[in-house]
Amino acid sequence: MVRHADASISTASACLALLRRDLLLVWRRRGDAAQPLMFALLVVSLFPLALGPEPELLAKIAPGVIWVAVLLSGLLSLDSLFRSDLDDGSLEQLMLAPQPLALLVACKVLVHWLASAVPVLLIVPLLAAFLNLDGRLLPVLWESLLLGTPLLSLVGTVVVALTVGMRRSGMLLALLALPLYVPVLIFGAGAVMAAAQGLPFAGALWLLGAALVLAVVLAPLAAATALRIAMP
Amino acid sequence: MVRHADASISTASACLALLRRDLLLVWRRRGDAAQPLMFALLVVSLFPLALGPEPELLAKIAPGVIWVAVLLSGLLSLDSLFRSDLDDGSLEQLMLAPQPLALLVACKVLVHWLASAVPVLLIVPLLAAFLNLDGRLLPVLWESLLLGTPLLSLVGTVVVALTVGMRRSGMLLALLALPLYVPVLIFGAGAVMAAAQGLPFAGALWLLGAALVLAVVLAPLAAATALRIAMP
Amino acid sequence: MTPAAPPLLAAESLAFQRNEEPVFGPLSLHVAAGEALLIHGGNGSGKTTLLRVLAGLLPPSEGDIQVRGQHATRESVAQTCALLGHLLGHKGELTAVENLRFAVGLNGQREGTDITEVLETVGLAGYEDSPARQLSAGQKKRLGLARLLLLPSPLWLMDEPYANLDLEGIALVNRVVEAHINGGGAALITSHGAYATPAVRSRVLELD
Amino acid sequence: MTPAAPPLLAAESLAFQRNEEPVFGPLSLHVAAGEALLIHGGNGSGKTTLLRVLAGLLPPSEGDIQVRGQHATRESVAQTCALLGHLLGHKGELTAVENLRFAVGLNGQREGTDITEVLETVGLAGYEDSPARQLSAGQKKRLGLARLLLLPSPLWLMDEPYANLDLEGIALVNRVVEAHINGGGAALITSHGAYATPAVRSRVLELD
Amino acid sequence: MNPVIRWFHQMGSPPIFHRFADRWSRWLLLAALPFLAWGAWSGLFEVPADYQQGDSYRILFIHVPSAWMSLFIYGLMAVYAFIALVWRIKICEQLAMACAPIGAGFTAITLLTGSLWGRPMWGTWWTWDPRLTSELVLLFLFLGVIGLNAAIEDRRAAARAAGFLALIGVVNVPIVHFSVEWWNTLHQGATIKLMGQSSIDSRMVLPLVLVAIGTKLWFLGSLLVRTQTAMLEMESGKDWVKQIARGAHA
Ligand code: HEM
Ligand SMILES: Nc1ncnc2c1ncn2[C@@H]1O[C@H](COP(=O)(O)OP(=O)(O)OP(=O)(O)O)[C@@H](O)[C@H]1O
Ligand SMILES: Nc1ncnc2c1ncn2[C@@H]1O[C@H](COP(=O)(O)OP(=O)(O)OP(=O)(O)O)[C@@H](O)[C@H]1O
Ligand SMILES: [Mg+2]
Ligand SMILES: [Mg+2]
């Protein structure tokens, strides 16, 4: 006799299964996973070559360059968030699973952030050294990125979910995501620039933090809804 | 009776046919074709947001930022150079055509440059205005880009040809192309930076020009060889 | 089974339009436990689309879908149906066992089943640790069948399960579906109508 | 044809290895004007690879290829052979006529042919201005045939020309190949061996 | 046939190369040890401290030989790649590929020791000086060759594609070497010359030469071992490899 769905499969363990699978996939595709890291390194190391080795100038623009590099690398890796799941049909399976889709989406965002932003966060000291950034600014830069990158991932997920059915969505994605990214960039890089000039910067970080809390709650719900609408 | 290949189909008219087809394709896919332009605009417009509107600072870094933006947008569009031809089998057809492959490759590079770099070149004044670049530097910047971007396209083509068989070659492509791009960036942006400081810059431009002439001759040959080696 | 038990899945004057173009006309269908419904139709007649509407992936343009006699909700569909689509949902980089373990983690596991045993049933013994990417097209299809066997859902929505399979594979599908139905399950199977179908209580719905 | 004319294409003890694994063993073959060579073999037996080696897209690991009795060069192969592969080489965004016009611009045109007429021959009259993307799989295959008909190459390398085609389409392939061979051309055709083949002077090469 | 080519063709037979490598790699690696040990001891303890830099300059005895090795190995890799592409000799393909990881290692050591040394000397770990930048580019080239070779599934096609890349990148080698002359840079100009008068203390030359010889020997030894392993892996289906495996079991 066929039984009904085993009620004992809790949502928590389903999320764990998804997290485990996606992290395993990141590991198996580590060549791809290293891409955002490479891209950020590339952008940052191109600047000294383009501007000439003028330590003060580099130090001055360092926070902005690093923030832009991180933002662009995240933007470029966004496209892959649902791409492979859509192509091989596992996105359908996720949508048909007896679990809240928003939670499953949240798990995917978490893995995306862990895979694309955390490695970059870890080499921020190296990036800062390339650009001669004042060592005392490193903690502020780091905190702003720590708050800003998950925010970018969350906001970006909603946009990606909306464009999930499109074949070549690269440009559209950038166009849609950019306006949402701009405030994050302004407050994130702004905090570091303010700190560099000795101005107060805690306010900007608090704002980022508040936005992050809001996004953690709302973005997965919005992304799940967007997925149901845009699923081809 | 079946005739042999019509000897009257000259190489010139074959190249023309390829140019006509590829330009038509660019037009039919204009959404994709606008991508490098969008990307360059995006990168350039992020900087004032990240650094705060400090006109002198922006003006100082403008040549470097514009050069990096152009270089990255070219790098990101490189991947598509042979991708669609490979996927639908027309690359095979090109390789089997009774024409020198190097010339056909040269035609494809030309179209790539026309589609990805020329639109960016046309909006350079706009980009420069965003970044407050001194108007007197515009001609130098423009000349350096005019010499540098075809050089980047040519050099990049060789690298793309080497990675043509790979599914996800994004990162590898960047890793392989970067070392070859660095000198172009140094001389290209260097010329503008030198001009900004009132130093002589003609030498760097001459060097770029000489490298371009060399690349026009050698890069298509190298790319054709690479294609024959790497064709899966 | 009590005779009055409502069908597992039923649809009343269901229709779907894309850009105001009807893809399949208003139709009614129902599948009860212990039977199979075969959906026949040529290329482009809307079989896949019908299955996706029934699974709740696409909203119907008209009509109503019921699960066990109740208006279908996302949860009730998810608890009742399992889909084997054109796309199988395997990750090429994960091994056969890893893929199945994830499916079980997400959906729960049918009582009394075991991943290794099920792999043996579908003829994949020895491929436990092969990445799904390395399996041939037919073997991938078998892995999809293994997934269905492991999930607790009583109703299988199968989109052209016979494609890509050799004669031996077609017999396997029939064997597996028969066992499922004889055990009180149900199945909704689309096909071009060119293949043998399982020897169970079944009805045919013709699409055009 | 003088009886002493060397075959259009000949290969002597040709072999190909991938990572030191033999894909097809050493084999010899030749195709003369006025005949067809059928290459039979199951999935993965190396038919496509053989065709790619003959066309010069892959370097053979051993053996020698000759065109009209001379060691094959890139030019002589390009002048003699036209390939109809698994991938047809059409641009989805261009119309049927634009695609054919490009093929002719690149390779030259067979004397006495005309794009519109050829489209009619393969049953695509009325689709001249449809983007190739909108054609069905079978129609795409027909467009590929039209390309072969337009090119001046005497030897056709055809990789599973029957796939994706309905019965009427299979008959079309056979008609076209027959006309080509009776006109003094030649063809090298791979297939799973499950379809009827044209009624011309032909030999069969079995791969395994 | 050109005798050099003929020699390569003979050595190109995998079993013959296998025996050759088996015989020589061990001795090369063993011979490298005394040179390295003597050089290190001499460099650390025998040579007097520099009158400007004190003891920190002793890192020179690692920095300079590994810098030389990085350039030498790239050049050698390009030569092998050229032979492999033109004459399609299998063993040269694998020799070129075996060069890349070793070269990348020496390049990384050069960068690392250079930047360790740069901290006390120039007051910074890193600047975008032409010598430093071009050496970094060299590292990227090595990594590119390794990456391309790993990314293509067919071993021979991979080696040929990566070898082609190595050939293209060879323009960077003279740039690294002459960058100190062509641009005015922070980095030391050429101080040690094979011909003519070197501008360093003659007592410093001995350990430098010892380490240089030691690294060359060690490189050749490990090149043979790596190539041998790659060939065994590639030819694992062939009879001669099976025979060797059986011999090892017996
Ligand atoms: C990351 C930083 C550095 C890099 C990448 C680097 C790279 C190199 C390279 C590639 C060479 C070999 C040049 C050739 O054979 O043509 C070399 C040689 C040398 N380096 Fe450095 N170097 C660095 C830092 C330093 C520092 C800080 C010093 C000491 C002030 C130094 C002193 C030397 C000396 C004395 C030589 C030998 C010069 C000769 O005779 O050719 N290097 N370095
Ligand atoms: N995403 C889509 N966008 C637009 N039209 C679509 C889409 N998917 C399917 N169609 C069209 O809808 C119709 C029905 O498609 P469907 O896939 O349901 O057919 P099917 O019966 O499953 O055919 P097959 O036997 O080939 O699987 C077809 O005409 C198809 O071209
Ligand atoms: N690019 C590739 N890389 C590695 N292996 C390949 C590649 N292409 C084909 N193969 C393998 O080489 C063998 C021969 O492939 P080929 O495509 O020539 O077979 P085929 O006879 O054309 O088969 P089919 O009937 O499926 O078209 C198969 O085992 C296949 O898996
Ligand atoms: Mg279907
Ligand atoms: Mg095939």
Side-chain angles (χ1 to χ4, degrees), chain C residues 48 86 159-160:
Chain C
T48 300
H86 280 307
D159 199 2
E160 307 209 15

Side-chain angles (χ1 to χ4, degrees), chain A residues 29 84-85 88 92-93, chain C residues 52 89 91 93 98 147 152:
Chain A
R29 296 175 186 158
S84 95
D85 278 356
D88 65 18
E92 271 170 27
Q93 304 288 1
Chain C
R52 293 175 71 83
K91 289 286 166 193
E93 289 88 351
E98 283 166 347
R147 186 175 151 277

Side-chain angles (χ1 to χ4, degrees), chain A residues 85-199:
Chain A
D85 278 356
L86 178 73
D87 286 348
D88 65 18
S90 14
L91 190 56
E92 271 170 27
Q93 304 288 1
L94 288 182
M95 294 175 74
L96 294 178
Q99 314 291 349
L101 185 57
L103 272 178
L104 300 179
V105 169
C107 292
K108 288 200 78 73
V109 182
L110 179 60
V111 174
H112 175 257
W113 181 73
L114 286 175
S116 74
V118 169
V120 182
L121 286 181
L122 293 180
I123 61 153
V124 160
L126 181 66
L127 300 180
F130 271 9
L131 295 176
N132 233 28
L133 183 78
D134 185 347
R136 282 162 302 171
L137 292 177
L138 205 53
V140 194
L141 174 62
W142 213 76
E143 281 162 29
S144 73
L145 286 172
L146 196 64
L147 293 169
T149 48
L151 189 52
L152 292 178
S153 288
L154 285 163
V155 170
T157 304
V158 181
V159 177
V160 169
L162 273 174
T163 57
V164 72
M166 294 168 212
R167 271 290 113 197
R168 310 180 191 190
S169 51
M171 186 175 97
L172 190 63
L173 193 63
L175 275 179
L176 294 178
L178 187 63
L180 304 172
Y181 276 16
V182 163
V184 184
L185 177 68
I186 290 179
F187 286 106
V192 192
M193 297 300 277
Q197 293 163 23
L199 301 173

Side-chain angles (χ1 to χ4, degrees), chain A residues 165 231-232, chain C residues 16 18-19 21-24 39-52 58 86 159-160 190-192 207:
Chain A
M231 185 72 186
Chain C
F16 184 79
R18 201 176 254 123
N19 292 327
E21 288 265 318
V23 175
F24 57 82
I39 301 180
H40 283 185
N43 276 330
S45 59
K47 302 180 298 295
T48 300
T49 313
L50 172 61
L51 241 59
R52 293 175 71 83
L58 290 172
H86 280 307
D159 199 2
E160 307 209 15
T190 74
S191 88
H192 287 133
L207 281 189

